[in-house]
Amino acid sequence: MEQFVYDFEEGNRDLKDLLGGKGANLAEMTNLGLPVPPGFTITTDACREFLRTGEVPARDEIERHLATLEDKMGRRLGDAADPLLVSVRSGAKFSMPGMMETVLN
């Protein structure tokens, strides 16, 4: 089965085509021991599969990685009292500033 989601600990700079520039660099910094909050990257292959089929691929894989992140942080996404806050960023092999809109709140 194809892997569509990589924890930062699993990736590295050599996976730039698969993880995008941001994802590969976050993985590389994590593996160097720099202080990077835990997280994961959904691959460019997942995006291509979504564009091909219109279906979110490996939804259960994404949910497993989110559950792991919630456990690491001791917080839950959507918890009204103490929510897990995440940054969701687009990425590609090459930088393309201004290509995606930023959504806050």
Side-chain angles (χ1 to χ4, degrees):
M1 184 172 132
E2 185 173 6
Q3 183 175 351
F4 286 115
V5 184
Y6 285 73
D7 282 319
F8 291 164
E9 295 88 0
E10 296 177 285
N12 61 59
R13 67 177 176 231
D14 297 329
L15 296 177
K16 197 173 195 177
D17 287 339
L18 184 65
L19 303 178
K22 286 182 189 85
N25 288 331
L26 286 165
E28 188 68 20
M29 290 186 293
T30 297
N31 290 318
L32 288 172
L34 296 173
V36 176
F40 59 88
T41 301
I42 300 171
T43 67
T44 56
D45 287 345
C47 179
R48 279 191 279 279
E49 183 68 12
F50 173 77
L51 293 173
R52 186 178 72 76
T53 66
E55 300 288 328
V56 176
R59 186 178 298 269
D60 57 337
E61 187 180 359
I62 295 167
E63 289 174 1
R64 274 195 319 274
H65 282 264
L66 179 57
T68 298
L69 179 60
E70 288 177 327
D71 290 342
K72 285 180 183 177
M73 298 303 296
R75 294 180 174 179
R76 299 285 174 249
L77 197 62
D79 182 331
D82 190 20
L84 172 65
L85 303 176
V86 298
S87 174
V88 179
R89 306 288 305 270
S90 65
K93 182 177 181 178
F94 302 104
S95 179
M96 296 183 282
M99 291 300 291
M100 300 291 288
E101 290 185 35
T102 298
V103 179
L104 298 175
N105 298 325

